[in-house]
Amino acid sequence: MDTRRNLLKKKQRVVIKIGSSSLQHTETGDMDYIRLEVLVRELCNLKNQGKDVVLVSSGAIAQGKKAVHLTPEQLQEHPIAVKQACAAVGQARLMMTYQKIFAEYNQVTAQILMTRQTISNDTNRINAQNTFEELFRMGVIPIVNENDTVATHEIEIGDNDTLSAIVASMIGADLLILLSDIDGLYTDDPRANPDAEFIETVEHLDESFLRMGKSTTGSGVGTGGMSTKLTAATIATTSGADMVIANSKDVRIIHRIIDGENYGTLFLAEKQDAFDLPDFVENLHSCRERG
């Protein structure tokens, strides 16, 4: 077994992100309760091992759209306002579903909604860090999402890949797992190029890897392509966390990754003491707004 993979067993604070498309049936857009229940069981089992666990979960807007039977025409009329309204509906439904399933395993959860200001404002960031720490002491699993009901920036250009890395950095996590609809990092888009080669481990995230981050994704539901995952890897690894990109087709992959099995692409931590999370986030959003 790869020694570097084997070290994942010792991780004590784990952030797990799962995308919108991973929680829904492709044919209908309705919630996939079997996959959701397996996800919850995996997270509770990590918690029972004595680890701090955070879930970053997409799906609020998608669930809201489904609940109010939104048509494409309605979405086009007032796109931001409609998405915010859908997020308000969907977030409540998503949390209600999570709480019911977690309760079956006697696990308490908490909802944390974040915006860019949570990071860029020093007081807000410290308050958020203190909240996370207190929840961990209480044995609670925080469930994090962007506060899409009030923050238009997050809806227009945000993604939960980046958000999960920001959370990992902010709380001092030592492992971030991004579950998506792709097995990991390839030299090219494997859907378009059959010769694309899979990359098992990234020891140093340099420009050659960052150039592989083409904005492609296999789903019309989520907002994150490979470029957002590499941005997440930059944040996580420079903050001192290892990161794994893996396929969410079988959510039981979570415990297999933690057990050191060779799934997904592993990005090794390269902690940089000079890394400034608020500055990075502000620069990231400035670049996205310009381009």
Side-chain angles (χ1 to χ4, degrees):
M1 183 180 289
D2 187 334
T3 304
R4 295 169 298 187
R5 296 268 181 174
N6 204 36
L7 290 174
L8 298 183
K9 295 178 181 178
K10 299 182 179 180
K11 302 298 185 181
Q12 286 299 307
R13 183 164 288 184
V14 184
V15 177
I16 296 168
K17 176 263 178 182
I18 190 162
S20 308
S21 59
S22 302
L23 299 176
Q24 300 171 13
H25 289 287
T26 306
E27 302 82 4
T28 63
D30 287 325
M31 193 75 75
D32 186 337
Y33 291 113
I34 292 177
R35 187 174 291 183
L36 197 61
E37 185 168 357
V38 175
L39 171 67
V40 169
R41 190 165 67 240
E42 289 279 323
L43 299 180
C44 289
N45 202 51
L46 289 182
K47 181 68 183 61
N48 288 349
Q49 293 175 34
K51 302 180 189 296
D52 295 332
V53 181
V54 177
L55 173 65
V56 177
S57 175
S58 305
I61 294 177
Q63 285 305 303
K65 287 179 183 178
K66 190 72 179 177
V68 300
H69 309 291
L70 190 68
T71 66
E73 291 75 21
Q74 289 172 307
L75 181 59
Q76 291 174 1
E77 289 174 6
H78 305 286
I80 297 298
V82 171
K83 285 182 179 179
Q84 288 175 317
C86 287
V89 174
Q91 191 63 45
R93 292 169 69 91
L94 196 60
M95 279 304 301
M96 180 178 66
T97 302
Y98 272 126
Q99 286 178 328
K100 283 184 176 180
I101 302 176
F102 272 105
E104 294 180 7
Y105 298 93
N106 297 314
Q107 177 61 53
V108 178
T109 59
Q111 175 178 253
I112 295 182
L113 298 177
M114 295 176 59
T115 69
R116 192 174 73 188
Q117 292 302 314
T118 309
I119 307 304
S120 60
N121 181 280
D122 290 343
T123 301
N124 290 348
R125 187 177 64 259
I126 292 170
N127 286 339
Q129 289 170 327
N130 290 339
T131 298
F132 274 108
E133 291 297 335
E134 195 58 44
L135 289 171
F136 293 142
R137 280 192 286 271
M138 292 177 176
V140 175
I141 293 180
I143 300 176
V144 182
N145 201 352
E146 293 169 319
N147 194 354
D148 292 335
T149 59
V150 298
T152 58
H153 286 291
E154 278 73 9
I155 290 179
E156 291 175 330
I157 59 175
D159 64 90
N160 275 0
D161 294 326
T162 305
L163 176 63
S164 63
I166 288 170
V167 171
S169 175
M170 190 174 70
I171 66 173
D174 47 13
L175 178 62
L176 169 62
I177 299 176
L178 299 185
L179 297 181
S180 187
D181 53 5
I182 193 167
D183 293 332
L185 180 64
Y186 287 81
T187 54
D188 198 0
D189 186 348
R191 302 180 185 94
N193 181 2
D195 296 325
E197 297 179 8
F198 183 74
I199 300 170
E200 289 188 1
T201 305
V202 176
E203 297 185 6
H204 175 62
L205 189 59
D206 57 24
E207 271 303 316
S208 65
F209 287 108
L210 295 175
R211 283 195 295 269
M212 297 175 188
K214 299 177 181 178
S215 298
T216 56
T217 181
S219 166
V221 179
T223 57
M226 188 53 70
S227 61
T228 65
K229 291 170 178 56
L230 291 176
T231 297
T234 301
I235 297 171
T237 56
T238 54
S239 298
D242 289 341
M243 189 185 99
V244 177
I245 300 173
N247 200 315
S248 63
K249 186 175 182 180
D250 183 354
V251 186
R252 290 172 296 182
I253 199 172
I254 293 172
H255 78 259
R256 293 166 185 156
I257 291 169
I258 297 290
D259 286 345
E261 296 184 36
N262 194 19
Y263 287 94
T265 299
L266 171 62
F267 295 79
L268 298 176
E270 292 185 289
K271 184 174 176 58
Q272 298 179 16
D273 292 333
F275 179 72
D276 188 290
L277 179 64
D279 281 351
F280 185 93
V281 171
E282 286 303 308
N283 290 336
L284 178 63
H285 280 270
S286 296
C287 291
R288 287 178 175 177
E289 286 168 354
R290 288 196 302 268

